[in-house]
Amino acid sequence: MERNLEIDKIDATDLKILALLLEDAHLAYTEIGKRVHVSGGTVHVRMKKLEQLGIVKGAQLLVDQTKLGWDISAFLGIYLDKSSLYEEVAIELERIPEVVNIHYTTGIYSIFAKIVCRDTEHLRQVLHDKIQKVGGIQRTETFISLEERIARPIPLAE
C-alpha cells in the first residue's frame, strides 16, 4: 500500500497546530504558540509549510444556512449512463451553485452529491431544471436530511 508522503514531512507540533485551528480557526498564532510552546512566528512558518505541502488548502467561514433561508439539505445518489462520463458530469455539477459537494463513489451510485435549497419547491426546480438536464446522468435518488448531528474534523492530536 502506497503511503501519502506529506505525513512524513510534518511532526507532532504541526499536528497540534492543525488540531487547535480545526477546533477554533479564530485563534491567533501567538495564542497557538503559547499552547504548543513555540513562538507565534514559528506557528506562521509552520502554517506556510503546511500550505506549501497542500495539507492546508485554505480557510472557510461556517454559517448556519437555515438562518439565511436555506432550509433543505439533500443528498443525491446519481447513476451515470457510463462511468467514463464522470469527469464531464462533475464539471457540469460544479456549475450548479446549489451542489455543495460531490463524491465519485463505489457501490450502486456513481456520484453521491449534497445540495442545499431554500425549500421543497426550490429543490424540485434544482432537480428537474438543472441536475436532470446534465448529459450523462441516467437517474437520481434523493434523500432529504432531517438533521445534521455531527460535523467535525478528523482527530489529529490526542
Side-chain angles (χ1 to χ4, degrees), residues 59-85:
Q60 288 185 322
L61 179 67
L62 297 176
V63 298
D64 184 336
Q65 67 193 32
T66 60
K67 292 186 174 160
L68 296 172
W70 293 75
D71 291 330
I72 303 288
S73 290
F75 297 91
L76 301 178
I78 301 173
Y79 295 88
L80 298 179
D81 290 329
K82 298 185 291 186
S83 62
S84 62
L85 295 172

Side-chain angles (χ1 to χ4, degrees), residues 7 31 33 71 87 94 114 119 125 127-128 139 142:
I7 193 70
E31 178 59 28
D71 291 330
E87 193 61 35
E94 286 175 11
K114 180 179 180 183
D119 51 37
Q125 290 171 350
L127 292 171
H128 183 267
R139 67 187 176 99
T142 305

Side-chain angles (χ1 to χ4, degrees), residues 4-132:
N4 187 344
L5 297 179
E6 277 70 18
I7 193 70
D8 294 332
K9 297 175 184 170
I10 63 174
D11 63 15
T13 300
D14 293 324
L15 290 174
K16 288 176 187 174
I17 291 168
L18 286 174
L20 287 168
L21 285 169
L22 284 169
E23 190 177 307
D24 181 0
H26 289 299
L27 282 176
Y29 286 176
T30 53
E31 178 59 28
I32 294 168
K34 288 178 191 173
R35 293 187 191 184
V36 298
H37 311 293
V38 297
S39 72
T42 299
V43 174
H44 177 78
V45 169
R46 285 173 176 259
M47 286 302 296
K48 286 292 178 204
K49 174 184 79 171
L50 294 168
E51 288 172 13
Q52 290 170 347
L53 290 172
I55 294 170
V56 173
K57 296 169 33 170
Q60 288 185 322
L61 179 67
L62 297 176
V63 298
D64 184 336
Q65 67 193 32
T66 60
K67 292 186 174 160
L68 296 172
W70 293 75
D71 291 330
I72 303 288
S73 290
F75 297 91
L76 301 178
I78 301 173
Y79 295 88
L80 298 179
D81 290 329
K82 298 185 291 186
S83 62
S84 62
L85 295 172
Y86 168 74
E87 193 61 35
E88 294 167 42
V89 171
I91 289 167
E92 290 302 311
L93 291 173
E94 286 175 11
R95 294 184 176 133
I96 301 171
E98 294 87 354
V99 175
V100 296
N101 68 45
I102 63 171
H103 298 267
Y104 191 30
T105 61
T106 62
I108 62 173
Y109 309 114
S110 298
I111 298 173
F112 206 70
K114 180 179 180 183
I115 63 174
V116 292
C117 298
R118 290 183 295 278
D119 51 37
T120 54
E121 175 58 24
H122 185 207
L123 174 63
R124 188 200 64 74
Q125 290 171 350
V126 170
L127 292 171
H128 183 267
D129 300 338
K130 296 180 180 182
I131 293 173
Q132 292 295 343

